[in-house]
């Protein structure tokens, strides 16, 4: 059984979804520290041919709090503002009509806490792209907060009876294959594929939100691209 563990990201780039497509179970690491100016509550789309940050406003966000302890802004107008930005930016995109219902479901999610809001959006993407993996939230399944770093990852793998742990490429300096092998597991890393596609900018900008990919590529082509990434 292949397992991946990642913090929940806001409308993530295609590599995140490729990791989800590469495993049988995908654990949302939502009871770890919040990282400011990361990918947890913001991502990039294309507006007027330029990169634009789309951000979930938060209440009293701090790196001293866990992701699942943070609330989104009480001013509900931010949801409609984000949706309007997407509508205005992509109304001429070839798959606008197909993708907008998904964007409306994601951005309009009524959850008031950040972790459930992000989980709602990732579950919506999971269903839209028909991914076979099971999504699991750490905060509701594991009682191992006393472990830190790699030891906690190893314990989650043990509890889930994983045979292979698949990580994003950024984790290569964090984990040792020997630690997983000692528990009878393999350690593998995803090699994301960020193939170019027709985009509104003068030059192709890789790694934008999956919303940008879906607006230009459509659901069928995007789903196919999710299964094209290799494991190392």
């Amino acid at each position: 059984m292949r397992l991946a563990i990642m913090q929940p990201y806001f409308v993530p780039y295609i590599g995140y979804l490729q990791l989800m497509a590469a495993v049988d179970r995908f654990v949302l690491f939502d009871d770890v520290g919040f990282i400011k100016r990361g990918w947890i509550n913001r991502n990039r789309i294309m507006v007027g041919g330029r990169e634009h940050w789309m951000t979930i406003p938060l209440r009293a966000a701090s790196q001293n709090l866990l992701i699942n302890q943070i609330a989104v802004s009480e001013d509900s107008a931010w949801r409609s503002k984000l949706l309007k930005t997407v509508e205005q930016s992509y109304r001429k995109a070839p798959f606008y009509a197909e993708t907008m219902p998904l964007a409306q479901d994601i951005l309009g999610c009524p959850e008031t806490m950040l972790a459930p809001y992000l989980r709602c959006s990732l579950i919506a993407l999971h269903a839209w792209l028909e991914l076979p993996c099971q999504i699991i939230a750490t905060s509701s399944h594991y009682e191992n907060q006393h472990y830190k770093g790699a030891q906690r990852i190893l314990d989650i793998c043990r509890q889930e009876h994983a045979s292979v742990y698949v990580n994003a490429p950024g984790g290569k300096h964090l984990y040792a294959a020997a630690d997983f092998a000692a528990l009878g597991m393999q350690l593998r890393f995803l090699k994301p594929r960020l193939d170019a596609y027709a985009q509104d900018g003068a030059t192709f900008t890789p790694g934008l939100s999956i919303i940008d990919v879906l607006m230009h590529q459509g659901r069928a082509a995007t789903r196919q691209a999710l299964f094209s990434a290799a494991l190392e």
Side-chain angles (χ1 to χ4, degrees), residues 94-158:
F95 293 93
Y96 171 84
E98 178 186 86
T99 307
M100 274 310 299
L102 172 66
Q104 290 167 351
D105 287 345
I106 289 174
L107 300 177
C109 177
E111 294 285 356
T112 58
M113 296 298 291
L114 179 60
Y117 182 88
L118 295 173
R119 185 162 63 248
C120 178
S121 67
L122 290 169
I123 289 173
L125 284 165
H126 175 275
W128 183 260
L129 294 165
E130 300 178 322
L131 296 178
C133 68
Q134 177 186 3
I135 295 179
I136 303 170
T138 57
S139 57
S140 62
H141 279 79
Y142 310 106
E143 297 180 357
N144 61 0
Q145 289 86 348
H146 55 287
Y147 288 124
K148 303 299 179 184
Q151 288 304 310
R152 190 170 181 207
I153 299 298
L154 286 163
D155 185 67
I156 294 173
C157 289
R158 180 189 61 79

Side-chain angles (χ1 to χ4, degrees), residues 44-54 81-94 96 100 199-201 208 211-212 215-216:
R44 301 170 302 149
I45 59 172
M46 195 70 77
V47 175
R50 296 184 179 182
E51 295 177 50
H52 172 81
W53 284 102
M54 188 167 61
K81 289 179 180 177
L82 289 181
L83 187 59
K84 186 175 181 180
T85 298
V86 172
E87 289 175 340
Q88 292 178 339
S89 301
Y90 291 103
R91 63 178 56 176
K92 294 183 180 179
Y96 171 84
M100 274 310 299
Q199 207 176 57
D200 292 339
L208 296 183
I211 288 177
D212 188 82
M215 287 288 187
H216 291 103

Side-chain angles (χ1 to χ4, degrees), residues 18 22 166 188-193 226-232:
Q18 287 172 342
V166 184
R188 306 285 299 274
F189 292 94
L190 183 84
K191 186 176 182 181
R193 281 193 59 171
L226 295 185
F227 294 93
S228 65
L231 295 182
E232 298 177 333

